[in-house]
Amino acid sequence: MKKPLLQSVFVLLLALAAGSAFAQIAPKAYAPENLRTLSVQDQTRVISLEYSEQSRGRRIPDDQLRFYLDQVNRSNWTFSRIKQDIAQSLGGNSGGWNPNPPAHGQTILCESKSGDARRCTPPWRGQSRLVRQLSNSRCEEGATWSSQDGLITVWKGCRGEFAPGLAVGGTIRCESNDGRGRTCRTPWSGHSRLVRQLSNAACIEGRSWQSQQGQVYVGNGCRAEFGPRAGGGGGSSQYSVTCSSEDNRRKTCAYDPRQGRPILLQQISNTSCREGYSWGYAGNQIWVDRGCRGRFGPR
């Protein structure tokens, strides 16, 4: 009877040792600050590993990975910047990641530790925004936290780090994760416009996103960056041009430069319209490609 018992103990010790050894050799998302010194394959590997570590094993969304690779190779984002941005994307921030972190020192911690409501007074005036979730409980604006002029309220276990709200004229990101609908408050009054689509799923106004006074709603997997809708730019706010890439072929459409630089007012296609990738502006023409069909006009 003693021999089988000793064998069992020995096997258990071996398993524990093997588990410890595996933990020590498990890959870590280590990388130099300047990711441009790595190949694109290695950039992809370390960014994916960092996201997996912070999200406890989840896979980084393809569009978010592409966004980071673009920022590394076009805007010289460092590895620390990407790590910080991943933390913000997983922490809430109205459902999306924000590549514009708050200035150093301009944050406040507000915690609902026992599930009860807690009010915090920030050192700034105006609205606030969530920049990092610290709790296991979800911090979702309107559901577990809210902001008023000079006041932050958290409840239902939300513990987060908050910063001043974005100035009028800035942008916010609003994301429909897992296809679920989400409403995001905006730091400006009035309606919003789509600035940049981040998801593979189409963001089409009236179908997968819409705006109201001070709010943006997204659904059906739409993830995008939004800004305030306004006329101006020297032209008529009613002026617009519809341009379509048929059969994924490149097409150019005449545009009146006196109206001001165009933006994407409405995506018509299911295929993503992304500036610099599937549409752009040069001289007095708008070009579209890769199946993008959209309505363009001045800001």
Side-chain angles (χ1 to χ4, degrees), residues 64-256:
Q64 190 168 354
L65 175 60
R66 286 195 300 269
F67 173 79
Y68 288 143
L69 291 174
D70 283 345
Q71 296 307 312
V72 167
N73 296 291
R74 295 183 183 180
S75 304
N76 294 320
W77 273 30
T78 63
F79 187 48
S80 294
R81 179 76 181 273
I82 288 178
K83 286 166 60 176
Q84 181 183 30
D85 200 75
I86 289 174
Q88 288 179 272
S89 77
L90 295 171
N93 189 34
S94 296
W97 79 91
N98 187 345
N100 299 304
H104 180 69
Q106 287 295 302
T107 62
I108 183 176
L109 183 65
C110 197
E111 301 178 287
S112 166
K113 293 184 177 180
S114 61
D116 296 332
R118 168 83 186 278
R119 291 179 174 83
C120 304
T121 304
W124 55 80
R125 297 293 301 274
Q127 300 289 327
S128 303
R129 61 190 172 100
L130 177 71
V131 294
R132 187 159 61 104
Q133 178 176 304
L134 303 173
S135 56
N136 291 326
S137 301
R138 178 74 173 172
C139 289
E140 183 175 340
E141 188 172 10
T144 58
W145 75 272
S146 65
S147 166
Q148 299 174 359
D149 188 5
L151 183 67
I152 299 169
T153 306
V154 293
W155 64 94
K156 292 184 179 179
C158 167
R159 296 187 297 112
E161 186 177 351
F162 297 84
L166 293 171
V168 174
T171 61
I172 67 162
R173 280 184 167 82
C174 196
E175 303 192 20
S176 164
N177 293 314
D178 302 321
R180 293 177 297 180
R182 178 179 292 274
T183 300
C184 304
R185 293 179 60 185
T186 62
W188 53 82
S189 60
H191 289 271
S192 304
R193 61 182 175 84
L194 177 70
V195 174
R196 183 167 53 142
Q197 178 174 309
L198 303 171
S199 56
N200 290 326
C203 291
I204 303 176
E205 188 171 9
R207 289 176 53 184
S208 55
W209 79 271
Q210 60 185 2
S211 74
Q212 299 175 354
Q213 297 287 335
Q215 290 184 338
V216 174
Y217 170 82
V218 293
N220 298 324
C222 169
R223 303 169 60 219
E225 183 178 327
F226 298 89
R229 187 189 298 272
S236 167
S237 60
Q238 302 300 315
Y239 179 84
S240 66
V241 171
T242 299
C243 200
S244 302
S245 165
E246 303 295 343
D247 298 325
N248 293 320
R249 291 178 297 182
R250 187 183 182 95
K251 181 180 179 181
T252 58
C253 302
Y255 181 86
D256 184 358

